[in-house]
């Protein structure tokens, strides 16, 4: 039994504990510990990715308690794929945070590591109640991170975020309790096996529990109508935190994919295909609402937050079509949208820092320092999120549309995805021209009289560029090496459609 | 006993839902607390209600209580306790930052 699978959970936990003991003044030591932990997590994730790439499913019984009784960690293709994405994202978000965010308050580094502890645990666990626990860990860390640095609007957004997530946790527990009460197990593989044999009078309870779970995961993923917490929260928090939070919506997406392919999959008897009727319409509606938000935003960060909502919509369109091709397309689109929106959040902060009092308001402001560099990055990122060729966003959407050709909802999918792409492009073009081509006359006068040049941040810092361009180049690499990635996501989707492999791997290991 | 417990959970949930939809942070915190009480009782009851039966191995026992929900509910209590503490502090902070205890930070016109 390989202990490697526990490392993505243990490394951030231990790093968090060690970080608690380092004094606050010793910021360079804290940064060093954090970055070592992040690099180790990436190395472990890549190692796991290589191991499960052969098609094996690794399991680890915690405390050596055999499967249905103890808690298991399970690493299959899906889990390690998202682990790798998280580790990559965290490194670049952290690099940006070392500019000045991590000094804005205490315990930033600890919370950052604990956030990763919760995320990695949620991806690896094979037990439904344990999933709840890891959700709580990542949420508690995210409450702290979201509030980090303080400020009126941040407090208000945090309060809403915390209250809605606490309500969500309660619903999660009701669902878990109901499932345990009927089926008598919480191990996901065991649940998948036993759910088909639930007596007819209890099927309705199992279905209710499944739908309650769906509402919780949809809340985490910001699926319509449960997305209202996202725009304010993501726009108000600090940039590196917002960048890291782009993976938080994917936790919901991951959980939906896991639970409804494994437990409520095609082998679930009376409760099979539970959410199929709901997912696609809700996803299309989220996409529409997200794009309307993108068009109507008055601030750049709010606009990017709505882009996240729209991207969640697109992702769930892929999962909602529910074929191997579409899920493979969704799993290719997932890292693309995570990296691109994270890079946009960081870029928005870099731009806001250079615009003085106008900050990220979409209005004519001062001339931005180093406009060619930032404008160039913005152009590429805008093309990425709008899904223009030749970048990864285009490839993802192309595969998604190809997979929808034979689906009954084909006209809806085609229409909504294509029109939303067009509208995103229009919105991004408008934003770009406002930010980079249009300057307020008052500011130009100031500039020509050499009184003020630009805000305090005029010089580009290497860390700033490394983090933004790093995330951007990840998207470019996804474009160049699209074929091996698609082969992998295709295999991942096939593994999801064959839940027996997961069940056997978990239940036969003792 | 089953009917009584079910009624109790229902009433607690009802109060929790009502209070958490109010517009003052204090009632919202109370509402969330009621909801967590309700769910803890619900989790506990999902192991079925047994009286006078041990949850751990005992040679003289003929019937057992399900120990797993007891472990689950213990975890859930700890977590909801921590979360309640956090949300109370956050409510106080928002009262200080926003100047009032309305959930949106502004009084109704």
């Amino acid at each position: 039994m390989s202990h490697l699978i526990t490392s993505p959970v243990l490394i951030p936990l231990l790093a968090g504990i060690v970080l608690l003991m380092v004094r606050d003044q010793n910021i360079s030591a804290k940064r060093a510990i954090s970055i070592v932990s992040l690099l180790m997590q990436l190395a472990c994730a890549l190692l796991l990715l290589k191991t499960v790439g052969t098609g094996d499913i690794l399991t680890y019984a915690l405390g050596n308690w055999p499967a249905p009784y103890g808690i298991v960690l399970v690493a299959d293709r899906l889990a390690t794929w998202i682990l790798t994405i998280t580790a990559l994202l965290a490194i670049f978000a952290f690099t940006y945070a070392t500019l000045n965010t991590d000094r804005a308050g205490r315990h930033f580094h600890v919370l950052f590591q604990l956030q990763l502890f919760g995320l990695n645990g949620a991806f690896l666990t094979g037990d439904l109640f344990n999933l709840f626990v890891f959700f709580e860990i990542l949420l508690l860390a995210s409450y702290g991170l979201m509030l980090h640095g303080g400020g009126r609007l941040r407090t208000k957004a945090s309060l809403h975020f915390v209250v809605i997530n606490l309500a969500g946790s309660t619903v999660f527990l009701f669902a878990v309790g109901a499932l345990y009460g009927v089926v008598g197990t919480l191990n996901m593989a065991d649940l998948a096996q036993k759910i088909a044999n639930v007596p007819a009078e209890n099927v309705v309870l199992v279905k209710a529990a499944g739908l309650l779970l769906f509402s919780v995961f949809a809340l985490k993923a910001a699926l319509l109508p449960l997305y209202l917490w996202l725009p304010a929260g993501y726009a108000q928090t600090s940039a590196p935190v917002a960048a890291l939070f782009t993976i938080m919506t994917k936790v919901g997406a991951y959980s939906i994919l896991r639970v409804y392919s494994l437990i409520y999959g095609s082998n679930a008897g009376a409760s099979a295909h539970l959410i199929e009727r709901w997912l696609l319409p809700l996803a299309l509606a989220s996409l529409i609402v997200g794009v309307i938000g993108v068009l109507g935003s008055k601030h750049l960060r709010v606009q990017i937050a709505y882009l996240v909502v729209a991207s969640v919509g697109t992702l769930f369109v892929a999962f909602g079509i529910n074929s191997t091709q579409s899920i493979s397309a969704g799993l290719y689109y997932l890292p693309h949208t995570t990296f691109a929106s994270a890079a946009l959040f960081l870029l928005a902060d870099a731009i806001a820092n250079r615009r003085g009092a106008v900050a990220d308001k979409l209005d004519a402001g001062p001339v931005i320092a180093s406009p060619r560099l930032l404008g160039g990055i913005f152009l590429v990122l805008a093309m990425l999120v709008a899904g223009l060729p030749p970048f990864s966003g285009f490839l993802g959407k192309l595969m998604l549309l190809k997979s929808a050709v034979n689906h009954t909802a084909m006209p809806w999918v085609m229409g909504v995805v294509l029109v939303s792409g067009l509208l995103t492009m229009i919105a991004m073009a408008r934003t770009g021209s406002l930010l980079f081509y249009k300057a307020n006359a008052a500011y130009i006068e100031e500039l020509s009289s050499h009184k003020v040049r630009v805000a305090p941040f005029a010089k580009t810092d290497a860390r700033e560029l490394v983090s933004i361009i790093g995330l951007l180049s990840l998207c470019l690499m996804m474009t160049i090496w699209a074929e091996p990635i698609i082969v992998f996501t295709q295999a991942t989707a096939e593994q999801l459609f064959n839940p027996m492999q997961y069940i056997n791997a978990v239940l036969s290991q003792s | 006993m089953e009917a009584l417990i079910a009624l109790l959970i229902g009433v607690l949930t009802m109060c929790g839902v009502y209070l958490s939809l109010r517009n003052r942070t204090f009632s919202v915190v109370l509402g969330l607390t009621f909801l967590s009480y309700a769910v803890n009782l619900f989790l506990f009851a999902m192991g079925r209600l047994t009286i006078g039966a041990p949850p751990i191995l005992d040679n003289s026992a003929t019937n057992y209580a399900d120990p797993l929900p007891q472990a689950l509910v213990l975890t859930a209590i700890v977590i909801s306790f921590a979360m309640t503490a956090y949300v109370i502090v956050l409510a106080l902070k928002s009262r200080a930052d926003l100047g009032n205890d309305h959930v949106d930070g502004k009084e109704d016109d």
Side-chain angles (χ1 to χ4, degrees), chain A residues 181-192:
Chain A
V182 176
V183 191
T185 177
L186 286 172
N187 180 299
M188 291 203 259
D190 204 25
L191 270 174

Side-chain angles (χ1 to χ4, degrees), chain A residues 400-413:
Chain A
L400 167 62
L401 292 180
K402 264 173 79 179
S403 71
V405 168
N406 293 324
H407 195 272
T408 44
M410 189 268 280
W412 286 97
V413 174

Side-chain angles (χ1 to χ4, degrees), chain A residues 430-446:
Chain A
R430 176 172 159 269
T431 305
S433 66
L434 265 175
L435 291 174
F436 296 102
Y437 286 160
K438 212 169 174 184
N440 194 319
Y443 289 105
I444 296 177
E445 238 164 69
E446 268 180 46

Side-chain angles (χ1 to χ4, degrees), chain A residues 123 207 260:
Chain A
F123 296 139
K207 281 186 172 174
Y260 297 97

Side-chain angles (χ1 to χ4, degrees), chain A residues 115-162:
Chain A
Q115 172 85 61
L116 291 170
F117 167 53
L119 284 166
N120 293 350
F123 296 139
L124 283 176
T125 185
D127 183 278
L128 206 54
F129 191 79
N130 202 229
L131 182 67
F132 164 76
V133 174
F134 276 119
F135 263 38
E136 292 306 303
I137 292 168
L138 76 91
L139 282 174
L140 198 48
S142 75
Y143 301 156
L145 281 178
M146 181 172 257
L147 207 56
H148 181 80
R152 260 184 96 247
L153 293 172
R154 208 170 280 182
T155 308
K156 192 178 131 185
S158 284
L159 184 68
H160 295 179
F161 178 70
V162 172

